[in-house]
């Protein structure tokens, strides 16, 4: 294991210190002389945060390696400042057995750029009919703790109840893609004035809110942990606030794109803006930001959803929903939450590292930047501005909604357990 001295860096944007990284941990914090044989990183002007943790990443392997692989997605994650990601189960084959989740976990270990924690499917084949082998996935080498049919909701309330009860045995959590499917048949964009003007079938906010309301009642009834994926409406924030106030064990995430973009973008008919749940209104964006700031929404999660060109560069109706997110998440969160004064750097670290690590059960991640803690961290330049170039992305796919856009804050280096995965803004492998 190597030794690194990170000189003059500002933890959480505070006063500059040196961080000595040795044997995978933060060995010293303060004014530290450079030990013989140690490599140095010039941290002046940079802020340090705990390595980011993503609760919601689509890596597409197995099955759609033309869109992303565990390795290319891991590289994109490291470049975005992440040290751990949760790989969603809607692969082909679906990650609904111990065999598939172990395969994804092993591929993550081989890539070695971030910790890849597979998410297990709740139902066999995401079909919503029978529970998958949740216990076997939890007991497997991948030690699955988060279960989700994401891409699809668990629509059957009885199955949802059974899943919530089942995962209690190993302190697991069911992450629901909250969408009442009967209300979203044929839906193409947020139901509202924009969709009406464009003649697109609407995806009503109530389809999300009804499912969240049902699930917080179920989770409260059986005393289990529920996590709500990609919350997108003001009403959802209100329901979560109510559920938390009455003590329900519910957590929630919001994506960077729902914190920044609105359904007005559908008017371009550019499918790069097609995503599920859809982009909503400016009022929803404001409520999501407020909910993230006050802790009603616990975490930022990317919903990084790479798609091959032929699935995205087609007409709006035929295009797959989803956007890239890993390499731009930190910058978009800084733009939406820090530059607006809604969160400081500690608040951002809580929502992009500590909270998602707790929700996912990752004890080694999202820890404080302090002596003796694991040296999984990100160094970023808060003053830098950069222009998003889809061609430069480490992802196999190109479907970023921010192409050509200038964003604040740039990741300079990422360390995973004391070893750099990114240096000078470039992946080490
Ligand atoms: O936009 C989305 N894309 N939403 C989802 O729920 C699934 C995801 C995907 O897998 O592409
Ligand atoms: Zn989803």
């Amino acid at each position: 294991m190597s030794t690194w001295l990170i000189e003059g860096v500002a933890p959480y944007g505070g006063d500059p210190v040196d961080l000595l990284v040795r044997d995978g941990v933060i060995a010293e914090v303060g004014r530290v002389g450079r030990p013989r044989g140690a490599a140095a990183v010039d941290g002046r002007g940079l802020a340090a945060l705990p390595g980011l943790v993503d609760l919601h990443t689509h890596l597409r392997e197995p099955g759609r390696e033309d869109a992303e692989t565990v390795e290319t997605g891991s590289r994109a994650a490291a470049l975005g400042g992440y040290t751990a990601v949760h790989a969603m189960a809607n692969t082909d084959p679906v990650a609904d057995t111990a065999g598939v989740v172990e395969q994804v976990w092993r591929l993550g270990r081989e890539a070695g750029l971030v910790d890849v924690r597979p998410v297990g499917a709740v139902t066999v084949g995401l079909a919503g009919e029978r529970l998958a082998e949740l216990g076997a996935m939890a007991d497997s080498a991948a030690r699955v703790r988060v279960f989700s049919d994401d891409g699809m909701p668990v629509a059957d309330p009885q199955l949802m109840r059974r899943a919530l009860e089942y995962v209690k045995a190993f302190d697991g959590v069911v992450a629901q893609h909250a969408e009442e499917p009967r209300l979203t048949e044929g839906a193409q964009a947020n139901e509202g004035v924009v969709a009406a003007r464009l003649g697109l079938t609407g995806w009503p906010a109530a389809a999300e809110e009804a499912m969240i309301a049902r699930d917080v009642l179920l989770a409260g009834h059986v005393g289990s942990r529920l996590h709500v994926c990609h919350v997108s409406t003001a009403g959802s924030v209100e329901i979560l606030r109510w559920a938390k106030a009455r003590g329900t064990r519910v957590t929630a995430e919001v994506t960077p794109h729902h914190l920044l973009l609105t359904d007005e973008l559908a008017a371009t008919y550019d499918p790069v803006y097609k995503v599920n749940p859809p982009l909503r209104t400016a009022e929803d964006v404001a409520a999501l930001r407020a909910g993230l700031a006050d802790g009603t929404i616990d975490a930022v999660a990317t919903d990084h959803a790479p798609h091959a060109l032929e699935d995205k560069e087609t007409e709006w109706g035929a295009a797959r929903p989803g956007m890239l997110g890993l390499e731009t998440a930190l910058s978009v969160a800084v733009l939406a939450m820090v530059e607006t004064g809604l969160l400081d750097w500690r608040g951002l670290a809580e929502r992009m590292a500590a909270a998602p690590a707790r929700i996912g059960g990752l004890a080694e991640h999202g820890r404080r930047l302090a002596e003796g803690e694991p040296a999984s961290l990100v160094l970023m330049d808060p003053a830098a501005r950069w222009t998003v170039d889809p061609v430069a992305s480490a992802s196999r796919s190109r479907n970023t909604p921010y192409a050509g856009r200038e964003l604040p804050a740039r990741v300079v280096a990422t360390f995973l357990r004391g070893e750099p995965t990114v240096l000078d803004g470039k992946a080490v492998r």
Side-chain angles (χ1 to χ4, degrees):
M1 276 190 166
S2 48
T3 302
W4 289 83
L5 184 64
I6 305 166
E7 293 171 309
V9 74
Y12 308 100
D15 294 332
V17 294
D18 305 327
L19 297 178
L20 182 67
V21 170
R22 191 164 50 205
D23 297 334
V25 300
I26 300 173
E28 269 184 73
V29 180
R31 269 193 67 89
V32 185
R34 181 156 158 195
R36 200 154 359 120
V41 177
D42 183 2
R44 283 173 300 174
L46 306 183
L49 298 178
L52 308 182
V53 176
D54 195 16
L55 279 167
H56 194 142
T57 313
H58 295 277
L59 291 177
R60 306 297 189 215
E61 189 175 7
R64 285 306 301 261
E65 291 83 352
D66 56 324
E68 197 78 289
T69 65
V70 172
E71 184 186 337
T72 59
S74 292
R75 192 169 295 117
L79 286 163
Y82 286 88
T83 52
V85 302
H86 290 79
M88 273 298 170
N90 64 340
T91 49
D92 184 12
V94 169
D96 58 3
T97 62
V100 178
V101 294
E102 285 191 354
Q103 179 194 1
V104 171
W105 177 74
R106 277 208 191 87
L107 288 166
R109 280 225 308 198
E110 280 162 26
L113 289 157
V114 291
D115 286 347
V116 174
R117 292 296 307 276
V119 173
V122 176
T123 69
V124 175
L126 310 180
E129 284 163 11
R130 277 183 301 130
L131 283 189
E133 48 180 63
L134 310 183
M137 289 189 273
D139 287 343
S140 75
R143 308 202 61 74
V144 175
R145 289 294 175 272
V146 182
F147 296 87
S148 182
D149 275 3
D150 182 66
M152 307 283 288
V154 180
D156 180 336
Q158 181 67 342
L159 260 181
M160 185 64 181
R161 176 194 175 147
R162 293 282 172 249
L164 286 163
E165 287 176 325
Y166 199 129
V167 301
K168 253 166 103 171
F170 36 83
D171 198 27
V173 60
V174 180
Q176 176 70 296
H177 168 114
E179 172 178 351
E180 170 47 60
R182 286 280 287 141
L183 291 172
T184 59
E185 281 169 19
Q188 292 289 342
N190 177 49
E191 183 170 311
V193 290
V194 176
R197 192 174 79 225
L198 300 175
L200 294 172
T201 305
W203 200 127
E208 174 172 309
E209 293 154 6
M211 193 63 98
I212 297 176
R214 182 199 82 177
D215 286 349
V216 295
L217 292 172
L218 285 174
H221 180 56
V222 300
S224 299
R225 283 171 67 208
L226 166 72
H227 178 73
V228 184
C229 295
H230 42 51
V231 168
S232 71
T233 79
S236 297
V237 178
E238 275 186 60
I239 295 164
L240 289 164
R241 200 173 274 128
W242 172 83
K244 285 188 167 191
R246 64 201 298 262
T248 304
R249 298 170 76 200
V250 58
T251 56
E253 67 186 38
V254 61
T255 69
H257 46 272
H258 288 111
L259 288 171
L260 189 69
L261 308 177
T262 68
D263 63 350
E264 291 288 347
L265 288 164
T268 64
Y269 287 109
D270 183 342
V272 79
Y273 301 116
K274 182 172 172 181
V275 65
N276 189 17
L279 300 176
R280 305 286 189 182
T281 67
E283 290 72 39
D284 293 306
V285 169
L288 293 168
R289 289 181 180 189
L292 185 65
D294 73 17
T296 302
I297 299 173
D298 303 80
V300 175
T302 67
D303 197 3
H304 177 81
H307 286 296
L309 279 186
E310 69 268 24
D311 291 325
K312 224 32 193 170
E313 295 197 349
T314 172
E315 73 269 29
W316 183 280
R320 300 264 177 94
M323 304 175 164
L324 299 187
L326 288 167
E327 289 169 272
T328 49
L330 179 60
S331 292
V332 173
V334 168
L335 182 61
M337 301 302 295
V338 179
E339 296 202 338
T340 52
L342 290 165
L343 285 179
D344 60 14
W345 295 109
R346 275 186 196 274
L348 193 71
E350 163 65 23
R351 288 154 183 79
M352 295 190 80
R358 273 198 310 275
I359 294 165
L362 295 180
E364 277 186 35
H365 288 271
R367 305 280 290 248
R368 291 173 309 125
L369 296 173
E371 281 177 18
E373 295 287 349
S376 295
L377 50 91
V378 51
L379 309 180
M380 54 106 176
D381 183 350
R385 300 192 77 86
W386 60 292
T387 301
V388 179
D389 174 7
V391 178
S393 173
S395 170
R396 277 236 167 124
S397 295
R398 296 288 171 256
N399 53 306
T400 173
Y402 310 111
R405 187 160 177 157
E406 195 184 78
L407 294 176
R410 186 101 223 227
V411 172
V412 174
T414 310
F415 282 78
L416 173 62
R417 280 184 292 278
E419 301 295 336
T421 55
V422 172
L423 283 175
D424 291 327
K426 294 181 186 64
V428 298
R429 60 178 171 277

